[in-house]
Amino acid sequence: MSISLSSLILLPIWINMAQIQQGGPDEKEKTTALKDLLSRIDLDELMKKDEPPLDFPDTLEGFEYAFNEKGQLRHIKTGEPFVFNYREDLHRWNQKRYEALGEIITKYVYELLEKDCNLKKISIPVDATETEPKSFIYMSEDALTNPQKLMVLIHGSGVVRAGQWARRLIINEDLDSGTQIPFIKRAVDEGYGVIVLNPNENYIEVEKPKIHVQSSSDSSDEPAEKRERKDKVSKETKKRRDFYEKYRNPQREKEMMQLYIRENGSPEEHAIYVWDHFIAQSAAENVFFVAHSYGGLAFVELMIQREADVKNKVTAVALTDSVHNVWHQEAGKTIREWMREFFLIECPGGSLADTIGLCDG
């Protein structure tokens, strides 16, 4: 097992500090001296020597990976599956690399929804201005006009986006296991209109503006001695914060802020919004839901908020590994009775592969 350069340098200092802290008051001076030494170590440069730059490709080809004819992600040169621990003992870097690949795969799945499944990307909110944050869903051409059947797919929480069930399965197994594409294709073949929700696309990220705090000494009427004390405390606080930041964020990644999407700021809000503006407006006499994990909770919340409408339009709901809780979500007796009749639940750990078959009829 190898030890990083920064760990080798700092370990004796940490051990020394721990030993000193076990001593009496006389050891405080030594502790202060060691803390001062630590504060002067340039961790930014030190940790950069351990960790390569967080600069990753923006295409599958750049990562030297591609999906084969079986939908499996394989290395272009070796044919091997994806390797998470690309660099030993650099877990943070490996995780960032995995996340960068995941973002590329998300875009790849979007392309498949449009090209292979012939779905349309619909921007929401429907009345969004040009400058406000937006999300989107996917729909088949006949989603709103099909008079018979409409299939609605809702994935779970986390990093997955429209068209995905699990990023891990896409990367480590294949596209059929980790995406909604087999469900969509079968639904279309059997005459369903299709709507694919995107409940985790709740905000956009923008770079956080830098705030310049004016020194208290510039505008305060306090005595000079008191101002000096305050400024000294402020500088010490900033030094400690910067010291921590060099551990947490050694490569000084950009600080981001979140701008939430109107009426779509959570999976529950998103489900209700899509219901009100699309599903409720559809011509289909029979609406079928397939909801996975947190998608089941989002559907139950939709049921609570739009009980009469849902009962009137929804024919069946197939849940897989759902995390809904009718007691925690305060679903009333009439809702629970309806759920017992119209819910089809796949037990945790069960396969997603045949769930769509539960909705035949």
Side-chain angles (χ1 to χ4, degrees):
M1 176 179 154
S2 61
I3 301 175
S4 67
L5 176 62
S6 59
S7 299
L8 284 171
I9 294 173
L10 296 174
L11 186 59
I13 300 175
W14 288 329
I15 292 172
N16 203 352
M17 283 185 68
Q19 291 171 341
I20 289 171
Q21 286 171 354
Q22 291 175 358
D26 295 340
E27 303 294 345
K28 284 184 178 178
E29 236 178 89
K30 292 181 182 179
T31 304
T32 303
L34 281 171
K35 283 181 178 178
D36 181 62
L37 173 62
L38 279 172
S39 70
R40 287 186 278 110
I41 294 174
D42 193 343
L43 289 176
D44 199 8
E45 290 303 317
L46 187 63
M47 294 186 77
K48 278 182 180 177
K49 292 177 183 177
D50 280 9
E51 185 178 74
L54 302 176
D55 183 20
F56 302 107
D58 56 5
T59 63
L60 280 177
E61 293 76 13
F63 271 95
E64 297 189 325
Y65 280 96
F67 286 100
N68 62 21
E69 66 281 354
K70 295 180 180 178
Q72 301 166 322
L73 188 67
R74 294 292 181 264
H75 194 275
I76 293 171
K77 295 177 181 177
T78 67
E80 293 296 314
F82 176 75
V83 176
F84 178 85
N85 290 314
Y86 188 76
R87 291 179 182 266
E88 191 177 352
D89 292 336
L90 288 176
H91 180 81
R92 178 179 180 274
W93 188 89
N94 288 328
Q95 180 63 33
K96 292 290 184 181
R97 174 175 173 266
Y98 177 81
E99 290 169 6
L101 176 65
E103 291 302 310
I104 294 170
I105 287 174
T106 291
K107 293 175 183 175
Y108 183 80
V109 172
Y110 289 158
E111 290 178 10
L112 293 179
L113 293 180
E114 295 180 33
K115 294 177 181 177
D116 286 13
C117 301
N118 298 314
L119 301 186
K120 298 186 299 179
K121 184 178 180 180
I122 308 296
S123 181
I124 55 175
V126 292
D127 60 346
T129 64
E130 193 172 326
T131 56
E132 75 172 294
K134 303 174 188 67
S135 180
F136 54 87
I137 59 173
Y138 283 94
M139 299 195 318
S140 63
E141 197 74 42
D142 67 338
L144 302 183
T145 58
N146 188 315
Q148 299 299 323
K149 300 184 290 186
L150 174 64
M151 177 72 68
V152 181
L153 303 176
I154 316 179
H155 59 63
S157 60
V159 296
V160 291
R161 294 295 185 268
Q164 301 180 49
W165 292 127
R167 176 184 287 182
R168 179 182 59 81
L169 290 178
I170 297 173
I171 292 175
N172 297 321
E173 298 294 332
D174 53 45
L175 288 167
D176 279 356
S177 299
T179 74
Q180 298 172 349
I181 291 172
F183 290 70
I184 295 166
K185 287 184 174 179
R186 180 170 172 183
V188 171
D189 287 346
E190 296 189 10
Y192 289 83
V194 175
I195 295 181
V196 177
L197 271 64
N198 202 10
N200 293 333
E201 192 77 11
N202 307 129
Y203 55 82
I204 62 170
E205 286 192 327
V206 297
E207 190 173 353
K208 196 173 185 178
K210 293 180 180 178
I211 301 174
H212 299 283
V213 180
Q214 190 177 19
S215 173
S216 59
S217 59
D218 294 341
S219 58
S220 175
D221 293 330
E222 293 175 333
E225 186 179 342
K226 190 172 183 181
R227 287 203 307 271
E228 285 175 10
R229 266 200 316 271
K230 277 190 173 182
D231 288 345
K232 184 178 179 182
V233 170
S234 177
K235 287 175 183 176
E236 288 298 320
T237 301
K238 183 178 184 302
K239 184 186 288 187
R240 286 195 297 271
R241 185 171 62 245
D242 290 345
F243 179 71
Y244 166 73
E245 279 298 310
K246 286 180 179 181
Y247 277 108
R248 186 188 71 83
N249 196 5
Q251 300 206 33
R252 298 216 178 259
E253 300 165 60
K254 293 178 181 178
E255 292 290 339
M256 308 298 285
M257 62 184 293
Q258 298 169 348
L259 300 179
Y260 280 84
I261 297 162
R262 176 165 53 89
E263 298 181 83
N264 287 269
S266 69
E268 296 92 328
E269 277 191 8
H270 177 76
I272 292 169
Y273 185 88
V274 176
W275 174 273
D276 289 343
H277 292 82
F278 298 94
I279 303 169
Q281 310 300 324
S282 68
E285 290 183 11
N286 302 289
V287 176
F288 302 86
F289 275 79
V290 179
H292 178 59
S293 185
Y294 200 88
L297 185 148
F299 178 84
V300 171
E301 184 61 27
L302 168 65
M303 182 83 195
I304 292 169
Q305 299 299 326
R306 302 287 186 271
E307 181 178 353
D309 293 339
V310 169
K311 286 180 176 179
N312 186 54
K313 206 163 179 68
V314 175
T315 300
V317 181
L319 301 180
T320 61
D321 291 1
S322 177
V323 298
H324 72 278
N325 186 311
V326 293
W327 309 112
H328 176 71
Q329 294 181 257
E330 298 182 354
K333 182 180 178 182
T334 55
I335 291 176
R336 297 196 303 272
E337 289 173 349
W338 186 91
M339 289 170 64
R340 279 194 288 270
E341 183 176 353
F342 293 94
F343 271 36
L344 303 158
I345 301 177
E346 180 77 20
C347 294
S351 171
L352 284 166
D354 296 321
T355 300
I356 197 171
L358 298 172
C359 298
D360 290 343

